């Protein structure tokens, strides 16, 4: 045992004896404690101090993050995404878009186009959407970089130039006809998703863009579920055209009922101007005023009062169909009452 | 502790029927309300010397009245017998405002808190035989035995009621954050059900998430259940009791019966070495001595006989108690109580009925769970309302709620804490501290008071020679260099005076070594005999060697055994060593008896007249030893004149003629149950760690005080009130009690105290010793300390300690000497019985608390970075930056190993130099911790994650401004052509792939920031450069965390399983500046805390 001078005599002879918590700390006191002037456990100055600290802290932190983002953004390009095609997450397999489309705010997740034929307002929702879309195409803001392309004149989209979409070729699918909605023959706008720098690899053309009949048959055979009508259209077209390579420079589009029932109820389908998008619209390089090419499909005699599942697909060698991932295809439903 | 309320009620109502049953046996066992103090007052006048002994001063009444120092505070009432309080207990009546059931339960507990009252020892034997339908010759008939067994029960202690396994399991499934998680899972299923009802081919995401959440709860519940079960299995190893048998007379013949089958009324034969099988009233005794230390804490054996000597059942000589052991002699008796009704059964019952309080760490964890759950619910409800108000659908709002709950709940933390505790428990087990349930690991770290039993805990529970007084000088037997033995002479073997004393000590003894112990060191050889004689024998063997041979040469020819009237023991030996053969008388006994018998004394090798001066010296020495609480024995010898006692003389032991002679006094030997070697150091360490060490013992105040001084419970300079009075020569009443810091409180004083007085004593005295306390009083003392808000540890090994052990915040029992009851009641067991192991426990407990704090800080930090994506998702309407599955990958994946590795951190400063934590202020999770983790480090991590998110979005075409408000289009499944900043059109699936990539990148940036966070969590105060990176488990965790993140991201198939996408290498980088920022920022914070103690920064951000 030590003497007084030894360090262990410095023992803590007064261990803390915390008093029992006094039962007066109620919730009310926590919110406003009149004795200590504390609001939510802090006095006014204490709140002010901590508030100022956090304001300064977050301002500093935000500035730091901003600086980091600024430094990073120096590596970005303004004219194109940093990563394109296979490097980008978007990949090389475009999706298919359609119009009109139900409003996602009111009707999230729904792809049903439903209207009552007698009800003008119902139909107007849909054909106005299409009208707005075609109006924007008809009156482009930028014209310098746009050119009129065709198979015949051989003009194609380049890095700075892109092609007009001719809105006059859609037959009955026009604004004046209310896109067929009033008459129960609704038109749907079908387009291919833009992917920066993506070019189609059409059926039947070899690497040099020349027509190869064997290749065409091989390509067509390789496609599963290619509608017979489309196959016939292509094979017939090859025969009737002088330059099949131009005719074949197309991304083919088909719209069918999804199931056997749907196929029956959907009835005949009309494609305006034809079941495909010409290849000269591609690639997309964020050309000024670029117009996405599209076609119209018109359902001539869809059964009324039945929900019809419709699937539209785009066909090319480098469009891989994936029903679950909705690649190379799009799905929507139609119901006319 | 674990029993729920309804259980408690059932358990107690069963017990209350037992009271009723007793009430039906008139006069058998009464619960006499009257305090037994009355009876003790009556008995006092008629009571002969209550205990046989060698007349140490503490037993001699005459001596006591002149010498016995009175303890301070309240002078002992003169009419209270010295020894009675053992049986007294006081239960303050509390106002009864409870329901009937509870009141009943309370009254049973109150009854148990009182002392046992019985009259089986008082009534005449015939009456007893009639009452128990037995007789001493033939015992019970087999039929009667069976009858009694069914009437009074088997001789078993009812094991404490176990909580059913399924309740334990259910508790694990519903405890902690489980409820919140169940809500989350339920919402997932609900969301899926709604989606599924509206659209048949709805994605199964929510079903999947719901299953994941539910499995997380199930698995972590199973895990903690497994941990619990594992630690309770440790205890089962203690339960394997060797079945014992008792020798019983039934139907006139003696047979060996299993102890459990013993019935009330059985006639039992007892032999030394037996464990007493039940509470037994003796009808015959042949020198039977029992060791009651398990019940009373006194280590010396007490003699038992057939006479009723005291009204008090514990004091009377004709009762022996269950679980004590017979040390010497034989006897025969009638079983009067069995099983739960025995004295030990009652104490065990009291212990098992007490509800031990929640452990501090459990309280902290609850507190923490409450805070986090409140935050989660607050944010959840707030954002639910906001999102509904913003026009989101109910389904969307519910989905947000899921996200917020999952982000807010640290799913892996509770399991992590369990693992940390288990690791510490394992480490402690390797240091001989066995923890019965994991939470107790930390409890020792928070204790501010240790109430220690003396016998067997602080001391060895083994008598040993302490001093010898001969030749007019005091000699230290052991450790002459010890400061306690300063100024004492050293024993020189060969001194004639020493040899004379040693001769008597060797010869006049009945103790002997067990045969067949060749080659075993003296200290370990087993001895047959009472504690005192054994101690002397062993010491003599080590000092001189070969006692057996010496005894053989000096054959014993006659012996007068010890009895309580004479208080001496004598033997005559034929001494053939020198100057022919003659008889040597060797005698030992109570010093005052021995000195009366002497006329001469051996001084400086000469036999001198025993004059007044010599007598005064003797008295001084005797008093000195007595004051030390030691047992003192006097020795004398006498060479019988050969004329009167020629060779071959036959001695008459009945009326020995030599007793008419006067003898030569050779010296005194004192014995004490010495403190364990490491105890003084351990006590010193505890005290420097701010822990008050209090002795609570059933033993005598003087002994208690002496041991308390030796081990440092009473500091060397400090005096009690009466010691101060003695040195100043003034009466105790003249002194101001506040002058002294030390008090030795007698159990009888406690009886008269109410709670407030006890509280005042506990507050006012720094060094406290409670002596002569009953089990109930030990409980009272523990409760007294707990009322002060302190966390109390109780150490003890006896049955008498078990109620206190149970009530204490942490009860510590002894693995070797501890009784089963005490082990059952304890939370921790010291396998090596070493009090010093407690220090290890305290250290480990404090360390684990610190480390848990770090662990919680580390884990909580990324909660906020998991939450901000949801806020921005809802408020800024950006596509979701961090998915729910990714959150789970962090919480249950990458965070777990680093968090556990913090349990391996070494302490920052000397944790044994600071005061115990204040349970009301120093919480595991404090305001500061939340503020710093959530408000600062967590926010830095959020910024890192969001930056990474924007970087990836930008690189793929979605510039930040484009993202604002994009959420509804982004998440609309029908939109198959969403335009980005560069006019590219993204399908729903392409968007989701981008979103998942961002989520994976956000996940990675959290991992990167958590590197820095883990490093800063290592230390709360010192610089990391000083602390070093020597925790290799933690360093490994850093690598493991990263590797795991890589596996989660880059393993093929993870895009489907966990929605994780492979990342470009440089997408790991945006978070790096923030990781560095975290490191630097925290270094600065710690620098400020170190440089400016008490500054605003410390006040607000030191956790």
């Amino acid at each position: 045992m030590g003497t007084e001078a030894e360090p262990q005599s410095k023992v803590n002879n007064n261990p803390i004896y915390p008093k029992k918590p006094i039962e007066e700390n109620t919730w009310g006191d926590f919110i406003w404690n009149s004795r200590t002037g504390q609001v939510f456990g802090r006095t006014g100055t204490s709140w002010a101090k901590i508030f100022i600290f956090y304001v300064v802290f977050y301002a500093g932190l935000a500035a730091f993050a901003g600086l980091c983002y600024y430094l990073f953004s120096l590596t970005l390009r303004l004219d194109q995404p940093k990563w394109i095609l296979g490097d980008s997450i978007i990949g090389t397999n475009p999706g298919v878009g359609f119009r009109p489309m139900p409003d996602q705010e009111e009707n999230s997740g729904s792809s049903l186009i439903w209207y009552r034929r007698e009800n003008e307002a119902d139909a107007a929702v849909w054909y106005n959407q299409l009208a707005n879309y075609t109006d924007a195409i008809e009156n482009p803001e930028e014209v310098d970089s746009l050119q009129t392309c065709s198979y015949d004149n051989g003009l194609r989209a380049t890095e700075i130039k892109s092609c007009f979409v001719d809105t006059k070729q859609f037959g009955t699918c026009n604004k004046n006809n209310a896109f067929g909605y009033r008459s129960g023959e609704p038109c749907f706008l079908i387009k291919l998703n833009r992917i920066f720098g993506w070019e189609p690899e059409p059926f039947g053309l070899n690497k040099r863009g020349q027509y190869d009949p064997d290749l065409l048959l091989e390509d067509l055979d390789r496609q599963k579920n290619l509608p017979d009508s489309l196959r016939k259209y292509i094979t017939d077209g090859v025969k009737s055209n002088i330059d099949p390579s131009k005719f074949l420079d197309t991304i083919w589009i088909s719209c069918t009922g999804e199931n056997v029932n749907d196929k029956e109820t959907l009835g005949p389908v009309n494609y305006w101007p034809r079941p495909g998008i010409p290849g000269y619209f591609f690639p997309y390089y964020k050309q000024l005023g670029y117009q996405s090419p599209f076609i119209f499909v018109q359902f001539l005699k869809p059964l009324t009062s039945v929900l019809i599942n419709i699937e539209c697909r785009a066909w090319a060698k480098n469009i891989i169909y994936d029903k679950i991932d909705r690649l190379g295809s799009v799905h929507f439903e139609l119901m006319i009452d | 502790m674990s029993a729920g309320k309804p259980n408690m009620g059932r358990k107690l109502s069963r017990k209350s029927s037992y009271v009723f049953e007793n009430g039906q046996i008139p006069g058998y066992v009464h619960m006499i309300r009257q305090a037994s103090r009355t009876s003790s007052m009556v008995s006092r006048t008629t009571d002969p010397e209550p205990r046989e002994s060698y007349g140490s001063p503490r037993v001699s009444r005459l001596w006591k009245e002149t010498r016995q120092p009175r303890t301070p505070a309240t002078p002992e009432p003169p009419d209270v017998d010295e020894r009675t309080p053992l049986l007294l207990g006081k239960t303050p009546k509390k106002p009864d405002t409870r329901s009937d059931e509870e009141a009943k339960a309370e009254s049973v507990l109150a009854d148990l808190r009182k002392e046992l009252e019985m009259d089986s020892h008082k009534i005449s034997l015939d009456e007893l035989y009639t009452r128990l339908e037995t007789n001493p010759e033939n015992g019970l008939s087999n039929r009667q035995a069976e009858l009694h067994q069914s009437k009074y029960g088997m001789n078993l202690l009812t094991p404490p009621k176990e909580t059913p396994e399924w309740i334990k399991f259910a508790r694990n499934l519903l405890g902690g954050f489980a409820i919140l998680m169940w809500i989350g899972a339920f919402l997932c299923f609900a969301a899926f059900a709604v989606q599924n009802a509206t659209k048949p081919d709805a994605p199964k995401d929510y079903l999947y998430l719901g299953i994941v959440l539910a499995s997380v709860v199930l698995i972590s519940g199973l895990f903690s259940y497994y941990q619990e079960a594992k630690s309770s299995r440790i205890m089962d190893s203690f339960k394997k009791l060797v079945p014992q048998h008792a020798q019983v007379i039934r139907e006139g013949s003696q047979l060996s019966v299993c102890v459990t089958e013993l019935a009330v009324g059985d006639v039992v034969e007892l032999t030394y070495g037996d464990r007493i099988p039940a509470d037994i009233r003796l009808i015959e005794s042949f020198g039977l001595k029992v060791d009651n230390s398990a019940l009373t804490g006194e280590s010396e054996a007490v003699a038992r006989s057939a006479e009723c000597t005291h009204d008090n059942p514990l004091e009377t000589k004709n009762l022996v108690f269950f679980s004590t052991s017979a040390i010497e002699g034989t006897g025969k008796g009638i079983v009067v109580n069995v099983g739960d009704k025995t004295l030990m059964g009652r104490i065990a019952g009291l212990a098992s009925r007490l509800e031990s309080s929640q452990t501090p760490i459990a309280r902290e964890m609850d507190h923490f769970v409450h805070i986090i759950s409140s935050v989660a619910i607050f944010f959840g409800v707030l954002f639910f309302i906001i999102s509904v108000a913003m026009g989101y659908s109910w389904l969307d709002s519910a989905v947000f709620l899921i996200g917020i709950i999952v982000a807010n709940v640290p799913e892996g933390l509770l399991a992590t804490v369990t693992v940390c505790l288990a690791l510490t428990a394992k480490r402690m087990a390797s240091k001989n501290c066995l923890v019965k349930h994991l939470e107790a690991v930390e409890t020792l770290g928070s204790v501010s008071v240790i109430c220690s039993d003396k016998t067997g805990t602080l001391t060895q529970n083994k008598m040993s020679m302490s001093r010898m007084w001969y030749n007019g000088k005091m000699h230290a037997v052991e450790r002459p260099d010890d400061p306690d033995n300063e100024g004492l002479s050293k024993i020189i073997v060969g001194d004639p005076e020493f040899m004379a004393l040693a001769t008597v000590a060797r010869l006049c003894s009945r103790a002997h070594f067990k045969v067949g112990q060749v080659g075993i060191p003296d200290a370990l050889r087993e001895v047959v005999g009472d504690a005192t004689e054994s101690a002397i024998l062993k010491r003599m063997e080590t000092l001189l060697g070969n006692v057996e041979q010496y005894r053989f040469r000096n054959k014993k020819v006659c012996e007068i055994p010890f009895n309580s009237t004479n208080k001496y023991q004598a033997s005559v030996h034929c001494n053939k060593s020198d100057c022919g053969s003659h008889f040597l008388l060797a005698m030992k006994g109570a010093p005052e008896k021995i000195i009366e018998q002497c006329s001469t004394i051996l001084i400086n090798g000469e036999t001198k007249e025993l004059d007044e001066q010599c007598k005064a010296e003797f008295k001084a020495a005797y008093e000195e030893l007595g004051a030390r609480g030691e047992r003192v024995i006097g020795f004398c010898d006498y060479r019988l004149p050969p004329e009167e006692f020629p060779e071959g003389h036959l001695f008459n032991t009945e009326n020995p003629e030599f007793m008419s002679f006067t003898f030569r006094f050779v010296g005194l030997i004192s014995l004490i149950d010495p403190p364990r070697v490491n105890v003084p150091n351990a006590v010193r360490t505890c005290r420097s760690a701010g822990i008050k060490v209090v002795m609570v013992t059933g033993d005598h105040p003087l002994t208690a005080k002496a041991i308390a001084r030796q081990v440092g419970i009473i500091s060397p300079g400090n005096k009690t009130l009466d010691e101060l009075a003695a040195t100043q020569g003034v009466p105790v009443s003249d002194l101001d009690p506040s002058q002294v810091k030390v008090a030795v409180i007698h159990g009888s004083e406690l009886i008269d105290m109410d709670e407030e007085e006890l509280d005042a004593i506990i507050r006012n005295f720094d060094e406290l010793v409670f002596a002569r306390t009953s089990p109930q009083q030990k409980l009272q003392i523990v409760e007294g300390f707990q009322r002060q808000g302190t966390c109390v540890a109780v150490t003890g090994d006896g049955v008498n300690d078990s109620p206190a052990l149970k009530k204490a915040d942490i009860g510590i029992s002894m693995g070797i000497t501890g009784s089963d009851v005490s082990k059952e009641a304890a939370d921790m067991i010291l396998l090596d019985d070493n009090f010093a192991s407690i220090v290890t426990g305290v250290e480990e407990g404090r360390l684990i608390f610190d480390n848990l704090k770090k662990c919680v800080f580390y884990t909580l930090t990324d909660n906020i970075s998991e939450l901000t994506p949801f806020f921005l998702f809802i408020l800024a309407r950006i596509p979701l930056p961090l998915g729910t599955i990714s959150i789970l990958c962090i919480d249950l994946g990458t965070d777990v190993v680093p968090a556990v590795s913090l349990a391996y951190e070494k302490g920052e400063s000397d944790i044994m130099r600071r005061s115990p934590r204040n349970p009301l202020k120093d919480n595991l999770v404090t305001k500061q911790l939340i503020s710093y983790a959530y408000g600062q480090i967590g926010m830095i991590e959020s910024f890192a994650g969001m930056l990474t998110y924007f970087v990836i979005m930008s690189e793929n075409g979605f510039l930040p401004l484009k993202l604002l408000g994009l959420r509804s289009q982004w998440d609309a499944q029908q939109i198959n052509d969403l335009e980005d900043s560069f006019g590219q059109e993204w399908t729903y699936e392409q968007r989701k792939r981008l979103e998942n990539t961002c989520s994976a990148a956000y996940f990675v940036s959290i991992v990167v920031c958590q590197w820095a966070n883990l490093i800063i969590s290592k230390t709360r105060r010192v610089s990391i450069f000083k602390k070093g990176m020597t925790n290799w488990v933690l360093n490994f965790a850093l690598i493991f965390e990263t590797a795991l993140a890589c596996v989660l991201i880059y393993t093929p198939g993870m895009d489907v399983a966990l929605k994780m996408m492979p990342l470009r290498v440089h997408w790991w980088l945006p978070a790096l500046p923030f990781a560095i920022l975290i490191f630097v920022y925290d270094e600065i914070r710690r620098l400020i805390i170190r440089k400016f103690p008490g500054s605003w920064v410390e006040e607000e951000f030191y956790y």
Side-chain angles (χ1 to χ4, degrees), chain B residues 55 133 179 215 230 299 463 469 613 855 915 941 944 963 1006 1037:
Chain B
E133 301 159 314
I179 299 275
S215 350
K230 206 167 95 180
S299 51
M463 274 295 167
W469 183 81
Q613 194 206 334
C855 178
S915 298
E941 290 192 4
L963 290 169
I1006 288 183

Side-chain angles (χ1 to χ4, degrees), chain B residues 155-210:
Chain B
N155 190 21
L156 283 172
L157 292 185
T158 319
K161 188 125 185 160
E162 299 249 339
T163 322
E165 292 297 308
W166 69 270
I167 288 187
K168 283 189 198 166
F169 185 61
R171 204 177 287 140
N172 279 316
L173 284 187
L174 296 174
F177 297 116
I179 299 275
L180 271 182
M181 296 286 284
W182 284 123
I183 293 173
F186 170 77
L187 283 175
C188 283
F189 292 131
F192 172 72
V194 171
Q195 273 191 337
N196 211 29
T198 50
K199 263 179 89 183
D201 59 339
K204 298 207 165 28
D205 286 14
Y206 291 117
L207 179 67
Y208 181 58
L209 185 60

Side-chain angles (χ1 to χ4, degrees), chain B residues 9 12-13 16 96-108:
Chain B
L12 289 178
S13 57
S16 46
D96 219 8
T97 52
R98 279 167 287 261
S99 69
D100 273 6
E101 186 86 338
E102 277 177 356
K104 223 180 204 174
E106 190 71 21
S107 82
V108 173

Side-chain angles (χ1 to χ4, degrees), chain A residues 147-172:
Chain A
Q147 55 193 6
T148 308
C149 312
S150 72
Y151 289 126
D152 300 330
N153 69 14
L155 285 174
R156 303 183 64 89
T158 62
E159 286 207 13
I160 43 167
K161 293 262 178 184
S162 62
C163 305
F164 281 113
V165 175
D166 184 6
T167 53
K168 301 201 173 54
Q169 48 178 339
F170 298 128
T172 48

Side-chain angles (χ1 to χ4, degrees), chain A residues 139-147 162 164 287-291:
Chain A
N139 309 301
E141 290 168 12
E142 191 74 44
V143 282
D144 293 350
S145 57
L146 285 173
Q147 55 193 6
S162 62
F164 281 113
Q287 297 95 333
L288 275 177
Y290 183 85
Q291 296 185 333

Side-chain angles (χ1 to χ4, degrees), chain B residues 273-577:
Chain B
D274 283 354
R275 213 170 88 130
I276 309 290
D279 284 2
I280 293 170
R281 173 169 174 180
L282 293 176
I283 49 178
E284 278 172 23
S285 165
F286 299 99
L288 185 68
K289 277 189 176 182
V290 290
D291 175 7
N292 273 351
S293 64
L295 283 175
T296 61
E298 274 182 89
S299 51
E300 61 191 271
V302 283
R304 285 294 177 242
S305 62
E307 310 96 50
C308 173
T309 56
H310 204 292
D311 272 358
N312 190 325
L314 246 184
E315 293 299 319
T316 185
K317 280 185 186 167
N318 61 350
L319 279 179
V320 290
F321 295 102
F322 182 35
S323 92
T324 60
S325 49
I327 300 292
E328 233 185 273
T330 56
K332 194 171 172 189
I334 309 278
V335 174
V336 291
N337 276 332
V338 292
D340 287 337
K341 288 152 218 165
T342 59
L343 186 65
M344 186 180 96
R346 285 170 55 84
I347 295 171
L350 174 60
S352 68
R353 231 156 288 271
L354 285 170
E355 288 204 49
S356 61
S357 46
Q358 214 183 6
T359 58
I361 193 70
R363 269 199 296 270
E364 290 302 328
M365 290 313 294
D366 274 3
H367 175 230
F368 158 69
V369 168
H370 282 154
I371 289 178
I372 301 301
S373 304
S374 310
V375 171
I377 291 166
F378 171 77
F379 279 131
V381 170
L382 181 73
F383 274 83
F384 189 77
I385 293 168
I386 288 178
S387 46
V388 169
M390 281 173 74
Y392 286 107
S393 69
W394 289 96
L395 183 70
D396 278 349
S397 307
V399 168
F400 300 157
L401 192 56
I402 299 168
I404 287 169
I405 288 174
V406 173
N408 246 311
V409 172
E411 287 84 6
L413 187 56
L414 293 187
T416 309
V417 169
T418 314
V419 172
C420 290
L421 291 175
L423 285 172
T424 307
K426 212 172 144 191
R427 197 156 58 206
M428 281 167 80
S430 70
K431 293 175 182 169
N432 288 321
C433 286
L434 189 69
V435 179
K436 266 169 67 181
H437 58 102
L438 287 180
E439 286 167 352
V441 163
E442 191 277 331
T443 314
L444 255 188
S446 356
V447 296
S448 41
V449 174
I450 298 176
C451 291
S452 179
D453 180 38
K454 178 183 74 73
T455 315
T457 312
L458 298 174
T459 68
Q460 300 168 357
N461 195 13
K462 199 169 69 186
M463 274 295 167
S464 129
M465 263 172 68
S466 154
R467 311 231 161 151
M468 292 172 99
W469 183 81
Y470 58 83
N471 203 16
K473 287 193 202 98
M474 192 68 82
H475 297 75
V477 176
E478 267 178 291
R479 290 181 289 134
D481 304 326
D482 197 284
D484 196 35
N485 291 337
E486 227 170 5
L488 302 186
S489 315
K490 267 173 95 173
I491 291 170
I492 298 164
V493 176
D495 275 1
E497 301 85 13
F498 169 77
M499 292 314 287
L501 180 53
T503 301
V504 185
R506 278 182 290 178
L507 294 178
C508 184
S509 167
R510 300 176 67 168
H512 59 86
F513 285 108
K514 272 192 183 167
V515 286
Q517 299 189 83
V518 187
I520 301 170
D522 292 338
L524 298 178
R525 282 167 75 180
E526 274 188 68
V527 180
V528 182
D530 86 359
T532 314
E533 292 192 340
S534 306
I536 295 172
L537 172 65
K538 276 193 171 182
R539 178 51 62 188
M540 286 303 147
E541 184 78 13
T542 38
L543 282 175
L544 296 164
N546 231 338
V547 173
E548 304 269 314
Q549 204 188 332
Y550 184 76
R551 284 193 190 159
F552 181 76
R553 278 193 276 117
N554 299 281
K555 251 202 179 108
K556 194 188 283 179
V557 290
C558 157
E559 182 174 27
I560 306 169
F562 183 86
N563 75 50
S564 50
T565 347
N566 294 338
K567 285 182 175 285
Y568 63 76
Q569 170 185 0
S571 55
V572 180
H573 303 262
C574 58
N575 189 323
K576 287 179 181 160
S577 56

Side-chain angles (χ1 to χ4, degrees), chain B residues 733-751:
Chain B
S733 51
D734 287 2
L735 289 169
D736 176 12
S738 63
Q739 272 184 296
V740 292
K741 290 279 161 220
V742 188
V744 179
I745 313 285
H746 195 282
S748 59
E749 294 171 53
L750 275 178
I751 298 164

